[in-house]
């Protein structure tokens, strides 16, 4: 038996050990991956704010933020739900001043908070 044929048989044996019988291996298409990553209407990688006193609002956020740094807010008062659907260790902070000054606390990825936004004038997103 040639060395190449034995190498091919060895590779097949290793593959059989790694994938149990009856398991179908494949990848989801882009549409399925995007749909699975969206939670409560908030796209993966975003921080979403929902309308005042509306909880999850049926999965319809009113504001979406994707980029790191400060984001100024206007006319946002009362209690709003904020959901951090960013990846990894990315966090979000609320700030009493504009341009990300006077920030408080950290909202970790995959968490939400119901926050009185009356004294809040900006939010920051950071890796």
């Amino acid at each position: 038996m040639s060395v190449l044929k034995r190498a091919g048989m060895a590779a097949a044996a290793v593959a059989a050990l790694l994938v149990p019988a009856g398991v179908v291996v494949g990848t989801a298409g882009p549409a399925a991956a995007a749909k699975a990553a969206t939670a409560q209407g908030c796209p993966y990688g975003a921080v979403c704010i929902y309308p005042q006193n509306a909880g999850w609002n049926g999965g319809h956020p009113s504001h979406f933020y994707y980029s790191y740094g400060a984001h100024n807010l206007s006319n946002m008062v009362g209690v709003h739900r904020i959901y951090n659907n960013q990846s990894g260790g990315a966090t979000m902070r609320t700030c009493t001043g504009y341009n990300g000054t006077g920030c408080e606390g950290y909202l970790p990825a995959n968490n939400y908070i119901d926050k009185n936004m009356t004294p809040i004038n900006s939010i920051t997103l950071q890796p």
Side-chain angles (χ1 to χ4, degrees):
M1 184 177 296
S2 74
V3 173
L4 291 177
K5 189 171 184 177
R6 277 185 286 185
M9 289 173 48
V14 169
L17 291 173
L18 295 176
V19 180
V23 173
V24 177
V25 177
T27 59
K35 185 175 181 178
T38 298
Q40 298 297 337
C42 186
Y44 184 70
V47 168
C48 298
I49 301 178
Y50 296 79
Q52 181 180 6
N53 299 321
W56 293 114
N57 194 39
H60 294 90
S62 54
H63 297 81
F64 302 83
Y65 302 94
Y66 292 93
S67 60
Y68 293 139
H71 301 274
N72 291 329
L73 307 174
S74 61
N75 301 319
M76 197 171 292
V77 297
V79 176
H80 292 258
R81 180 159 291 168
I82 304 171
Y83 178 49
N84 182 355
N85 198 21
Q86 296 181 92
S87 63
T91 59
M92 189 280 315
R93 300 179 81 185
T94 55
C95 311
T96 56
Y98 287 103
N99 301 314
T101 60
C103 297
E104 52 196 30
Y106 288 91
L107 183 64
N110 302 309
N111 283 273
Y112 76 94
I113 186 171
D114 291 328
K115 176 85 174 173
N116 179 4
M117 299 297 281
T118 302
I120 304 302
N121 288 301
S122 64
I123 63 168
T124 62
L125 280 60
Q126 48 278 323

